[in-house]
Amino acid sequence: MSPHITLATAGRILRQLRHDRRTVALLLVVPALLLTLLYFMYDGSGATFDRIALIMLGIFPFVIMFLVTSIAMLRERTSGTLERLLTTPLGKLDLLFGYGLAFGLAAALQGAVATGAAYWLLGLQTTGNAGLVVLIAVVNAVLGVALGLFCSAFARTEFQAVQFLPVVVVPQILLCGLFVPREQMVGWLEGISNALPLTYAIEALAQVGISADTTATMWRDLVIVAGATVIALVLAAATLRRRTP
């Protein structure tokens, strides 16, 4: 893998993204609008809003980046762009890590906008620092990018790519501890929850919600999520096809 080629790939993707206004709106505006919806749903129940909104600051980027990247990579294959790119010195890892870097930068902007809206416009209150919330949201968004790239290899159409959402994303949301504390789950469900990377991202956000200082649990969770991201990118490179008929 060449850092120069990876950076060039990331630059190409960012230029494409800049001219796609609908995707930019999806990345930057939709999370803030959904948080606003939550605010009015829990109007008058500040503590409940604080808990749910904090977790959603990690879930929204994860879901949106999964959708955007899985469809974007599928389009590169079906249009023949990927086949042409891979005739150049560009390697699969260069391409996929370039995607991860480009959408990681987009996720940083997305996280900053959503977190700023949550804290300054909607009155979100947490014991920990808002900067840590942005950091965790970005790491979680890149995880969504990596899983989206991996799943796109098994799809032939955009509809099939979207079908991976209830298979890969929804179970992680259901089992991350948002609805039922993990320790209260049936043993086998808790075991599955412990194997899912989103669980650790949500746990890291919960640590920010209750602790003014960074904790060893939070850093451990971030390392686990980052490790899962790298594994997903490597698997995506191993399964990536040059072209989809």
Side-chain angles (χ1 to χ4, degrees):
M1 189 175 73
S2 168
H4 176 72
I5 296 177
T6 300
L7 290 174
T9 301
R12 176 182 68 86
I13 296 166
L14 286 173
R15 287 191 295 272
Q16 291 176 343
L17 185 62
R18 185 182 61 186
H19 292 97
D20 189 345
R21 295 182 180 178
R22 291 182 180 180
T23 301
V24 171
L26 175 66
L27 294 178
L28 300 183
V29 179
V30 170
L33 290 178
L34 292 175
L35 287 170
T36 303
L37 177 62
L38 276 177
Y39 175 79
F40 287 106
M41 286 173 58
Y42 292 104
D43 187 26
S45 183
T48 303
F49 169 75
D50 290 342
R51 183 179 69 86
I52 301 296
L54 178 62
I55 294 176
M56 288 302 173
L57 282 169
I59 290 178
F60 288 154
F62 174 74
V63 175
I64 292 172
M65 288 300 183
F66 178 90
L67 282 174
V68 170
T69 52
S70 60
I71 293 173
M73 177 55 72
L74 183 64
R75 285 179 178 175
E76 296 239 284
R77 290 208 324 270
T78 55
S79 66
T81 301
L82 180 59
E83 189 174 27
R84 292 192 295 271
L85 286 172
L86 291 180
T87 61
T88 69
L90 175 72
K92 291 183 178 180
L93 283 177
D94 293 314
L95 174 68
L96 294 174
F97 276 86
Y99 260 88
L101 178 59
F103 281 102
L105 293 174
L109 184 57
Q110 178 192 60
V113 171
T115 303
Y119 277 91
W120 295 322
L121 297 180
L122 304 177
L124 175 65
Q125 296 183 1
T126 58
T127 304
N129 191 282
L132 293 173
V133 176
V134 175
L135 172 64
I136 298 170
V138 170
V139 174
N140 213 30
V142 178
L143 172 65
V145 170
L147 290 176
L149 292 172
F150 174 59
C151 291
S152 71
F154 303 98
R156 290 181 175 271
T157 65
E158 293 182 11
F159 180 65
Q160 289 181 357
V162 174
Q163 287 178 326
F164 279 100
L165 185 70
V167 176
V168 176
V169 174
V170 174
Q172 296 198 62
I173 295 175
L174 293 177
L175 297 176
C176 70
L178 173 61
F179 301 101
V180 178
R182 290 188 295 132
E183 59 274 11
Q184 295 181 15
M185 294 179 183
V186 178
W188 62 275
L189 278 181
E190 184 179 0
I192 295 175
S193 175
N194 291 337
L196 299 175
L198 184 62
T199 296
Y200 298 95
I202 300 309
E203 186 177 56
L205 284 169
Q207 291 290 305
V208 177
I210 63 175
S211 176
D213 300 317
T214 58
T215 65
T217 299
M218 189 203 78
W219 289 119
R220 181 208 65 184
D221 291 339
L222 276 180
V223 169
I224 292 173
V225 176
T229 300
V230 173
I231 291 172
L233 286 173
V234 172
L235 289 175
T239 56
L240 182 65
R241 291 176 291 174
R242 290 175 176 266
R243 186 180 178 91
T244 296

